[in-house]
Amino acid sequence: MKRTHFIIGATLMLAFSLTGCTADSSSSLQIGTSIQPSYTEPIDYAAHRGQQQLLAVDGGSVAYTDHGTGVPIVLLHGVPTSSWMYREIIPQLQENFRVITIDFLGYGSSDKPEGEEEVYSPRAQAGRVQTV
């Protein structure tokens, strides 16, 4: 679990440093316009995908989960993975936090535009996280 925390923290720091975003807990996250039922650990990827929603961003639609209440925690995946990697810890975290996972554009259940390298750059991906 400690390694997972390091990876999550390093990913968030990268996203914040690339976009100039700060970890200000007073800012509100815009995704999740309706209260979602509790996330249940899925038996397969189709069940995970069934718990995701889509958000239109520049370049396409991004798949995400948004469950629980309280202080938000945004779990960002590495490359080449997806939010699927967090399926076992979301149920525990949502008991005390609002847990948001995002499939970056090009990964998991998100759109995969072809031929647009800039769409997949770390700066572009971090910018999408900031707009959420």
Side-chain angles (χ1 to χ4, degrees):
M1 188 76 151
K2 288 181 182 181
R3 181 172 169 86
T4 303
H5 288 143
F6 171 77
I7 293 169
I8 294 167
T11 305
L12 287 171
M13 287 179 5
L14 174 64
F16 293 154
S17 67
L18 288 173
T19 62
C21 184
T22 60
D24 177 7
S25 62
S26 66
S27 62
S28 63
L29 299 169
Q30 301 302 313
I31 62 176
T33 56
S34 62
I35 296 174
Q36 298 301 305
S38 293
Y39 182 90
T40 55
E41 188 175 334
I43 58 170
D44 57 21
Y45 189 77
H48 171 70
R49 190 172 187 168
Q51 298 183 79
Q52 292 180 304
Q53 299 179 68
L54 293 176
L55 177 69
V57 296
D58 70 321
S61 292
V62 170
Y64 70 94
T65 63
D66 185 357
H67 301 277
T69 59
V71 175
I73 298 175
V74 180
L75 304 177
L76 303 173
H77 63 81
V79 175
T81 61
S82 71
S83 62
W84 169 250
M85 70 185 286
Y86 296 115
R87 68 191 177 278
E88 295 175 357
I89 64 170
I90 295 170
Q92 289 80 33
L93 290 173
Q94 74 182 352
E95 293 175 13
N96 298 301
F97 302 97
R98 178 180 176 192
V99 183
I100 300 166
T101 65
I102 300 169
D103 284 349
F104 289 124
L105 201 63
Y107 299 92
S109 301
S110 293
D111 286 347
K112 297 160 186 66
E114 292 186 29
E116 301 179 33
E117 289 183 32
E118 177 56 31
V119 169
Y120 299 112
S121 74
R123 184 173 305 279
Q125 299 284 27
R128 287 184 199 95
V129 171
Q130 183 181 2
T131 63
V132 171

